[in-house]
Amino acid sequence: MSDRSDILGEIIARHHHREGPLLPILNDVQAELGCVDAASEAMIARGLNISRADVHGVVSFYHDYLSSPDARPHVQICRAEACKARGVEKLIDSASAAAGERVRISTVYCLGLCSAGPAARIGDELHIRLDEDAITNLVESA
């Protein structure tokens, strides 16, 4: 447990001096530990001298923060208006079927690739101009 506390302490110390440090801290905790659980929320709140409710409110607002680690590959599919106009809704069922329980599928509202949609992201890798075969292959190879 001390390793986890040490990691959290280092992350908080790294960002504590910044104006608006909460989101950078949460991003680093999610990246390092795979989640922002209740114990992490409490330690962050103490470190920033804010309430745990304030921290939890931000964590629960953004869907990128998980309350427990999920080691599965994560495919984010853009479901914003431009991708909808290009047929992404038809691709979501195919992606979910290909994912089964092995891959986590989520929808996001804009990956910033509006002229090249439908689009998806795995980690930092972006994929554009997806059709049913492409999204199925992408999910199966994740």
Side-chain angles (χ1 to χ4, degrees):
M1 186 64 159
S2 65
D3 289 339
R4 183 179 183 81
S5 295
D6 291 344
I7 291 169
L8 285 165
E10 289 172 17
I11 291 170
I12 293 166
R14 185 178 331 138
H15 296 289
H16 190 271
H17 69 283
R18 298 175 75 166
E19 186 173 333
L22 183 56
L23 285 175
I25 289 171
L26 293 174
N27 290 338
D28 284 358
V29 170
Q30 178 70 42
E32 274 297 313
L33 303 177
C35 69
V36 182
D37 60 10
S40 298
E41 288 179 8
M43 189 167 175
I44 293 166
R46 280 192 306 278
L48 296 179
N49 197 29
I50 59 177
S51 73
R52 183 169 173 271
D54 287 336
V55 176
H56 183 72
V58 173
V59 170
S60 63
F61 179 79
Y62 292 103
H63 300 287
D64 289 332
Y65 302 123
L66 304 175
S67 60
S68 61
D70 187 342
R72 297 179 297 171
H74 183 204
V75 177
Q76 295 176 314
I77 301 171
C78 181
R79 204 172 192 178
E81 288 76 12
C83 286
K84 278 187 178 187
R86 293 174 178 265
V88 75
E89 293 298 325
K90 292 182 249 175
L91 305 182
I92 293 172
D93 288 340
S94 298
S96 296
E101 293 297 317
R102 190 186 69 77
V103 177
R104 182 168 50 114
I105 300 288
S106 66
T107 56
V108 295
Y109 291 89
C110 201
L111 291 172
L113 299 164
C114 301
S115 66
R121 174 173 59 195
I122 301 176
D124 291 333
E125 192 175 313
L126 298 166
H127 302 269
I128 59 173
R129 295 184 177 88
L130 297 171
D131 58 19
E132 194 168 347
D133 288 338
I135 193 77
T136 299
N137 290 335
L138 179 67
V139 170
E140 288 174 349
S141 66

